[in-house]
Amino acid sequence: PGGGIMSGEQRADCDTDTQSGQPAQSAQRSTLGVLKTAVGRIRHDPFLAVPFIVAGIVVALADWLRTHDPLPVASTDGLSQTISVQYSVVPQGTARTARHVGAIIDLKMPYLLWGVGLELAVVLVVAIAGWMTITRTLDTSPHLGGLSRYLLTMLAVLILSQLWGSSFLTTDRFLLGLGLLAVFLIVAVHIFLFPANLVTGNGLLAALRLSYRWSRGYGMTIAGLIIVIGLSYWGLAKIPHVGGFLSTAVVAPVHAVVLGILVSAKTKELDAKPSD
């Protein structure tokens, strides 16, 4: 599939690709089309969902452990709101509980190791799940360097979320935050493909440049994906007891496959136009 002009016969062929789980030309131009292609790809290859099912179990277990250990715990930002967009740069579910930095300050060493170790274990499992799913979607050879950079990105997201809080939109703050929302979407659109470009073995700066370059022309589509995926993370996470598992096991694999589909389509488009 490519982004160029196709004949009627070629367009018909690409329209049937969705049934086989491959990215269709029409799917590259609309939010709904990309999501339908991603779901079709997972149906065609169910193993794409397995890593995040395992990660979902780990997230749910971490939720349970946080609520039963003696360390302070809080509900995840946004779950108490009327509506919230819980979007992350890297595919990951929304846990129902969160442990803030203040909860582990001045702890005795055993409790400190436990609190930090639990959070790092979740990050590691979710990062491996995202790396595996995107790699399989791209049908490319695994890059351990890509995994290490992907993991570093996950850690950076964790640290930033601790410092700034998770990104969310609430109805009572909508008008006041409309400008900030627009800025957030512009930035998020341009770095949307960043994780998938890391998986292919690109360095951090190269992955950012490619993400910025390849997102041009797909702004509205990617913005729609960010909103739909973020709302889905939030909506499933609100379900009592199993929300963390469902958010991770159901939405995160779709998010990861979407990234793989878009990068794969863009790569094939460029391969078809070597002069570019």
mmCIF file of all heavy atoms in Angstrom, residues 1 4 9 21 32 56-57 71 74-75 78 80 131 133 187 209 226 236 255-256 261 272 276:
data_model
loop_
_atom_site.group_PDB
_atom_site.id
_atom_site.type_symbol
_atom_site.label_atom_id
_atom_site.label_comp_id
_atom_site.label_asym_id
_atom_site.label_seq_id
_atom_site.Cartn_x
_atom_site.Cartn_y
_atom_site.Cartn_z
ATOM 1 N N PRO A 1 0.831 -1.207 0.000
ATOM 2 C CA PRO A 1 0.000 0.000 0.000
ATOM 3 C C PRO A 1 0.853 1.240 0.000
ATOM 4 O O PRO A 1 1.895 1.297 0.628
ATOM 5 C CB PRO A 1 -0.794 -0.128 1.299
ATOM 6 C CG PRO A 1 0.098 -0.966 2.161
ATOM 7 C CD PRO A 1 0.792 -1.915 1.237
ATOM 8 N N GLY A 4 0.301 7.168 -2.857
ATOM 9 C CA GLY A 4 0.230 7.830 -4.144
ATOM 10 C C GLY A 4 -1.091 7.593 -4.827
ATOM 11 O O GLY A 4 -1.999 6.966 -4.320
ATOM 12 N N GLU A 9 -8.145 -0.477 -10.487
ATOM 13 C CA GLU A 9 -7.840 -1.878 -10.164
ATOM 14 C C GLU A 9 -6.976 -1.963 -8.931
ATOM 15 O O GLU A 9 -7.204 -2.794 -8.060
ATOM 16 C CB GLU A 9 -7.146 -2.522 -11.363
ATOM 17 C CG GLU A 9 -6.808 -4.008 -11.127
ATOM 18 C CD GLU A 9 -6.120 -4.608 -12.333
ATOM 19 O OE1 GLU A 9 -6.041 -3.922 -13.371
ATOM 20 O OE2 GLU A 9 -5.673 -5.763 -12.231
ATOM 21 N N GLY A 21 -5.967 -8.282 6.858
ATOM 22 C CA GLY A 21 -5.200 -7.685 7.941
ATOM 23 C C GLY A 21 -4.092 -6.778 7.474
ATOM 24 O O GLY A 21 -3.287 -6.327 8.271
ATOM 25 N N LEU A 32 -11.179 6.124 11.356
ATOM 26 C CA LEU A 32 -11.938 4.877 11.427
ATOM 27 C C LEU A 32 -11.309 3.805 10.558
ATOM 28 O O LEU A 32 -11.237 2.636 10.950
ATOM 29 C CB LEU A 32 -13.388 5.132 10.996
ATOM 30 C CG LEU A 32 -14.321 3.916 11.030
ATOM 31 C CD1 LEU A 32 -14.396 3.337 12.437
ATOM 32 C CD2 LEU A 32 -15.713 4.296 10.524
ATOM 33 N N GLY A 56 -1.315 -6.898 30.555
ATOM 34 C CA GLY A 56 -2.535 -6.543 31.272
ATOM 35 C C GLY A 56 -2.661 -7.282 32.587
ATOM 36 O O GLY A 56 -3.118 -6.716 33.599
ATOM 37 N N ILE A 57 -2.272 -8.545 32.591
ATOM 38 C CA ILE A 57 -2.293 -9.319 33.833
ATOM 39 C C ILE A 57 -1.327 -8.703 34.843
ATOM 40 O O ILE A 57 -1.637 -8.575 36.039
ATOM 41 C CB ILE A 57 -1.935 -10.791 33.544
ATOM 42 C CG1 ILE A 57 -3.022 -11.437 32.685
ATOM 43 C CG2 ILE A 57 -1.752 -11.561 34.849
ATOM 44 C CD1 ILE A 57 -2.674 -12.833 32.208
ATOM 45 N N LEU A 71 2.346 0.851 51.500
ATOM 46 C CA LEU A 71 2.759 2.135 50.931
ATOM 47 C C LEU A 71 1.542 2.934 50.458
ATOM 48 O O LEU A 71 0.553 2.359 49.994
ATOM 49 C CB LEU A 71 3.721 1.907 49.770
ATOM 50 C CG LEU A 71 4.991 1.109 50.072
ATOM 51 C CD1 LEU A 71 5.870 1.041 48.845
ATOM 52 C CD2 LEU A 71 5.735 1.698 51.248
ATOM 53 N N ALA A 74 -2.727 6.079 45.296
ATOM 54 C CA ALA A 74 -3.787 7.000 44.879
ATOM 55 C C ALA A 74 -4.456 6.442 43.629
ATOM 56 O O ALA A 74 -3.896 5.599 42.925
ATOM 57 C CB ALA A 74 -3.208 8.381 44.590
ATOM 58 N N SER A 75 -5.668 6.917 43.369
ATOM 59 C CA SER A 75 -6.346 6.556 42.131
ATOM 60 C C SER A 75 -5.684 7.287 40.966
ATOM 61 O O SER A 75 -5.181 8.397 41.123
ATOM 62 C CB SER A 75 -7.826 6.930 42.198
ATOM 63 O OG SER A 75 -8.477 6.200 43.216
ATOM 64 N N GLY A 78 -7.692 11.254 36.393
ATOM 65 C CA GLY A 78 -8.626 11.209 35.284
ATOM 66 C C GLY A 78 -9.748 10.205 35.446
ATOM 67 O O GLY A 78 -10.802 10.364 34.851
ATOM 68 N N SER A 80 -11.622 9.686 37.913
ATOM 69 C CA SER A 80 -12.754 10.258 38.650
ATOM 70 C C SER A 80 -13.453 11.355 37.862
ATOM 71 O O SER A 80 -14.457 11.905 38.325
ATOM 72 C CB SER A 80 -12.272 10.818 39.991
ATOM 73 O OG SER A 80 -11.327 11.854 39.790
ATOM 74 N N TRP A 131 7.136 -3.369 22.170
ATOM 75 C CA TRP A 131 8.224 -3.662 21.223
ATOM 76 C C TRP A 131 7.910 -4.909 20.397
ATOM 77 O O TRP A 131 8.076 -4.910 19.170
ATOM 78 C CB TRP A 131 9.515 -3.843 22.009
ATOM 79 C CG TRP A 131 10.704 -4.281 21.218
ATOM 80 C CD1 TRP A 131 11.413 -3.559 20.310
ATOM 81 C CD2 TRP A 131 11.333 -5.564 21.281
ATOM 82 N NE1 TRP A 131 12.448 -4.307 19.808
ATOM 83 C CE2 TRP A 131 12.428 -5.543 20.386
ATOM 84 C CE3 TRP A 131 11.093 -6.721 22.026
ATOM 85 C CZ2 TRP A 131 13.265 -6.642 20.204
ATOM 86 C CZ3 TRP A 131 11.930 -7.816 21.846
ATOM 87 C CH2 TRP A 131 13.001 -7.772 20.947
ATOM 88 N N THR A 133 4.917 -6.320 19.791
ATOM 89 C CA THR A 133 3.738 -6.158 18.934
ATOM 90 C C THR A 133 4.048 -5.289 17.719
ATOM 91 O O THR A 133 3.653 -5.617 16.595
ATOM 92 C CB THR A 133 2.585 -5.542 19.749
ATOM 93 O OG1 THR A 133 2.297 -6.383 20.865
ATOM 94 C CG2 THR A 133 1.339 -5.406 18.890
ATOM 95 N N VAL A 187 1.664 18.665 19.111
ATOM 96 C CA VAL A 187 2.890 17.963 19.504
ATOM 97 C C VAL A 187 2.689 16.461 19.421
ATOM 98 O O VAL A 187 3.530 15.723 18.884
ATOM 99 C CB VAL A 187 3.315 18.382 20.922
ATOM 100 C CG1 VAL A 187 4.505 17.555 21.385
ATOM 101 C CG2 VAL A 187 3.663 19.865 20.960
ATOM 102 N N ARG A 209 12.724 12.744 14.057
ATOM 103 C CA ARG A 209 12.670 13.413 12.754
ATOM 104 C C ARG A 209 11.737 12.681 11.798
ATOM 105 O O ARG A 209 10.943 13.304 11.089
ATOM 106 C CB ARG A 209 14.081 13.511 12.154
ATOM 107 C CG ARG A 209 14.959 14.583 12.795
ATOM 108 C CD ARG A 209 16.168 14.882 11.916
ATOM 109 N NE ARG A 209 17.022 13.706 11.769
ATOM 110 C CZ ARG A 209 18.060 13.431 12.545
ATOM 111 N NH1 ARG A 209 18.379 14.258 13.534
ATOM 112 N NH2 ARG A 209 18.786 12.355 12.347
ATOM 113 N N ILE A 226 -5.552 9.698 18.354
ATOM 114 C CA ILE A 226 -5.136 10.035 19.722
ATOM 115 C C ILE A 226 -6.346 10.174 20.631
ATOM 116 O O ILE A 226 -6.369 9.651 21.755
ATOM 117 C CB ILE A 226 -4.304 11.333 19.712
ATOM 118 C CG1 ILE A 226 -2.947 11.078 19.061
ATOM 119 C CG2 ILE A 226 -4.124 11.883 21.127
ATOM 120 C CD1 ILE A 226 -2.146 12.336 18.799
ATOM 121 N N LEU A 236 -12.215 1.987 29.530
ATOM 122 C CA LEU A 236 -12.056 0.630 30.038
ATOM 123 C C LEU A 236 -11.412 0.625 31.418
ATOM 124 O O LEU A 236 -11.733 -0.221 32.255
ATOM 125 C CB LEU A 236 -11.233 -0.208 29.066
ATOM 126 C CG LEU A 236 -11.934 -0.574 27.758
ATOM 127 C CD1 LEU A 236 -11.036 -1.446 26.890
ATOM 128 C CD2 LEU A 236 -13.245 -1.303 28.015
ATOM 129 N N HIS A 255 -3.451 0.124 19.650
ATOM 130 C CA HIS A 255 -2.571 1.288 19.555
ATOM 131 C C HIS A 255 -1.242 0.890 18.901
ATOM 132 O O HIS A 255 -0.763 1.555 17.973
ATOM 133 C CB HIS A 255 -2.345 1.849 20.964
ATOM 134 C CG HIS A 255 -1.549 3.098 21.004
ATOM 135 N ND1 HIS A 255 -1.241 3.750 22.185
ATOM 136 C CD2 HIS A 255 -0.950 3.840 20.024
ATOM 137 C CE1 HIS A 255 -0.525 4.826 21.926
ATOM 138 N NE2 HIS A 255 -0.324 4.897 20.625
ATOM 139 N N ALA A 256 -0.640 -0.209 19.370
ATOM 140 C CA ALA A 256 0.651 -0.639 18.842
ATOM 141 C C ALA A 256 0.554 -1.052 17.378
ATOM 142 O O ALA A 256 1.427 -0.725 16.565
ATOM 143 C CB ALA A 256 1.192 -1.796 19.691
ATOM 144 N N ILE A 261 1.206 -0.261 11.426
ATOM 145 C CA ILE A 261 0.551 -0.146 10.125
ATOM 146 C C ILE A 261 0.930 1.157 9.425
ATOM 147 O O ILE A 261 1.265 1.175 8.232
ATOM 148 C CB ILE A 261 -0.983 -0.241 10.298
ATOM 149 C CG1 ILE A 261 -1.398 -1.684 10.583
ATOM 150 C CG2 ILE A 261 -1.709 0.287 9.065
ATOM 151 C CD1 ILE A 261 -2.861 -1.842 10.923
ATOM 152 N N ALA A 272 8.342 2.880 -2.980
ATOM 153 C CA ALA A 272 7.759 2.946 -4.326
ATOM 154 C C ALA A 272 8.163 4.236 -5.042
ATOM 155 O O ALA A 272 7.976 4.374 -6.243
ATOM 156 C CB ALA A 272 6.240 2.863 -4.231
ATOM 157 N N ASP A 276 12.208 10.232 -3.990
ATOM 158 C CA ASP A 276 11.929 11.088 -2.858
ATOM 159 C C ASP A 276 12.917 10.882 -1.712
ATOM 160 O O ASP A 276 12.840 11.610 -0.741
ATOM 161 C CB ASP A 276 10.494 10.843 -2.335
ATOM 162 C CG ASP A 276 9.446 11.318 -3.325
ATOM 163 O OD1 ASP A 276 9.824 12.080 -4.216
ATOM 164 O OD2 ASP A 276 8.288 10.896 -3.199
#
